[in-house]
Every structure is written in structure tokens, then in C-alpha cells.
């Protein structure tokens, strides 16, 4: 097998918008807990943390002030790249969702289409996508296109073609959301083949698909996202002890197959990010 030279980018999605403490007792909720979980994940090999904010009662929020606290507390501890969510939770308005972009974070997610999401609908109208993309452009935020189904890739490519997004094209294939694209190696290969030359891509497998999709991505030259947002278990019937435990396993597997793991500094180079605050 040909050695993959590009170092592996590991993203830890530590909280998400849907998982509860009842589902996963170790779920980080407060800014302090989220920062600690991010730091623990960074220490074992994560170079990006994908963050969602929560209120004190655990409900999802896109409140700018809470994101501000989370980012500051993470930055006090380490130089991991903080990627804020602009997806928030199902049902939130675009005005609510855009708030963390006003903080000019290093990186943010951008979902380029609407998808059924379990029993709900994760709405992303063309107008809302443009609103978020324009704000990212204005505040120099590196986007990560969140791809829940194949058509969303084409929508992202249109944003690039029309110069609405001019940063490095980086994608996250989310596989296995009920309503989105199913998790399979064929679907990863199909989607990666649709990307422009030089684009980078990560894989986030949902639930039991997290580990096999991560392994496929490592071997195919992609990158990996793990964490409680996507999966709360370490193995069938056994809850993970922490986000870091899930990251650690990916690092171990990557090393075993000869794929080195990238530091945040190296990821800023791979993604050609201008800001490195
Ligand atoms: N919570 C999902 C409905 C993102 O962070 O940008 C959307 C989501 C995507 O998590
Ligand atoms: Zn998210």
C-alpha cells in the first residue's frame, strides 16, 4: 500500500446539540467542561475541536457570549483550532445560528443543503447558506462544508465557483444520520471523487459507524472526526469514558497503519488558514 504523506487531521466533536447527560454522563456542557474536554482531546492528538454551546440546563444555544467564554477558556489551555458550529440545533433560525461567527473564530461549519435529521428537518435554504457564507468571508473564517448528502457537495462547489467562499475547500462527510447519506465505503469514495483537486475531506460516522468510517478515511487519505456529538459509545453497549478516549483510539490505529497525526500548526498549513490566533 502506498504511504499517505498528508498527516491525519483529527477533529473532536465534544458536545453537539442533541446528546444529553442522560445519554452520556460524561458529556461536557458548561464552558469550563467543554474547554477541559477540548484540552484532553488535544493532548491525545486532536488538532481541531468542533464546539456547540449549551445553556446551564443543558439545552442547546448559539449564544455569542457563551461561545466567547468557550473559545477563551480553550485558548487559555492550548492552541487547538476551535471550529464553531453554525448548524446549532434543528429548528434554530439563521440569525440565531450565525452568532458565533460575529466572534471571528478561526473556523466554522457550513452545511450546504437541507436534510431530514431523525424526526426533524435540518433546514438550510439557499438564502441562509449565502448569509452564513458571506459572514464567514467577511470575518475571514475558514469554513468546513458539512456534507450530509451528495447534493450538498455541488452546492458547496457553486459557492466556491461564485467566489462566495474563497478559502481552502475543506469538507466533512457526515455519514449515517437517519435521513442523510448512509455510512459505507462506497459512499465515501463517491463523495471524495466529486471534490476539486487539492480539497481536503474528513469523515464523521454516526453512532456505530464512527469507527469503521474513521478507518476507511485513514486508509483512503482523508481525515477523521470523532466525539460525543456523533457517537457516545466506545464499543457496543459500552459508553466511552471521554471524548479523548475516542480520539486516542484513532491515533493508535493511524500510527499502526503508518499515518502520522497532524498538530494544530500543521493543520493550519494543510488548510492554508491565514489566521493563527
Ligand atoms: N445539530 C445538527 C442539526 C453543525 O454543527 O454545523 C447540525 C450540526 C451541524 O451539528
Ligand atoms: Zn455540530
Amino acid at each position: 500500500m502506498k504511504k499517505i504523506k498528508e498527516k491525519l487531521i483529527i477533529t473532536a466533536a465534544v458536545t453537539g446539540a442533541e446528546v444529553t447527560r442522560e445519554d452520556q454522563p460524561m458529556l461536557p456542557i458548561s464552558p469550563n467542561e467543554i474547554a477541559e474536554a477540548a484540552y484532553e482531546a488535544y493532548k491525545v492528538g486532536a488538532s481541531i475541536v468542533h464546539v456547540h454551546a449549551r445553556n446551564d440546563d443543558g439545552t442547546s444555544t448559539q449564544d455569542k457570549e457563551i461561545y466567547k467564554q468557550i473559545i477563551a477558556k480553550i485558548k487559555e489551555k492550548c492552541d487547538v483550532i476551535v471550529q464553531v458550529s453554525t448548524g446549532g440545533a434543528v429548528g434554530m433560525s439563521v440569525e440565531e445560528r450565525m452568532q458565533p461567527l460575529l466572534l471571528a473564530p478561526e473556523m466554522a461549519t457550513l452545511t450546504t443543503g437541507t436534510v431530514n435529521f431523525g424526526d426533524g428537518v435540518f433546514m438550510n435554504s439557499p438564502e441562509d447558506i449565502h448569509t452564513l457564507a458571506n459572514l464567514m468571508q467577511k470575518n475571514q473564517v475558514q469554513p468546513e462544508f458539512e456534507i450530509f448528502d451528495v447534493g450538498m457537495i455541488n452546492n458547496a462547489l457553486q459557492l466556491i465557483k461564485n467566489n462566495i467562499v474563497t478559502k481552502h475547500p475543506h469538507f466533512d462527510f457526515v455519514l449515517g444520520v437517519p435521513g442523510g447519506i448512509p455510512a459505507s465505503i462506497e459512499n465515501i469514495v463517491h463523495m471524495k471523487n466529486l471534490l476539486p483537486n487539492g480539497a481536503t475531506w474528513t469523515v464523521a460516522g454516526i453512532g456505530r459507524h464512527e469507527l469503521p468510517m474513521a478507518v476507511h478515511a485513514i486508509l483512503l487519505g482523508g481525515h477523521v472526526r470523532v466525539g460525543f456529538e456523533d457517537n457516545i459509545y466506545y464499543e457496543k453497549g459500552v459508553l466511552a469514558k471521554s471524548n479523548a478516549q475516542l480520539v486516542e483510539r484513532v491515533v493508535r490505529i493511524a500510527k499502526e497503519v503508518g499515518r502520522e497525526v497532524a498538530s494544530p500548526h500543521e493543520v493550519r498549513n494543510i488548510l492554508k488558514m491565514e489566521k493563527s490566533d
Side-chain angles (χ1 to χ4, degrees), residues 7-27:
K7 290 192 180 181
L8 182 71
I9 304 170
I10 302 176
T11 302
V14 294
T15 299
E18 289 82 24
V19 178
T20 66
R21 271 274 164 79
E22 285 68 47
D23 303 324
Q24 171 44 275
M26 301 310 288
L27 183 76

Side-chain angles (χ1 to χ4, degrees), residues 16 50 52 85 225 229:
H50 170 65
H52 283 252
S85 170
R225 176 172 119 170
E229 172 162 351

Side-chain angles (χ1 to χ4, degrees), residues 6-10 44-47 247 250-252 254-255 259-263 266-267:
E6 189 163 82
K7 290 192 180 181
L8 182 71
I9 304 170
I10 302 176
V44 295
S47 48
V247 172
V250 173
V251 172
R252 239 175 13 246
K255 286 187 175 157
R259 188 97 192 261
E260 286 180 64
V261 173
S263 68
E266 288 166 333
V267 174

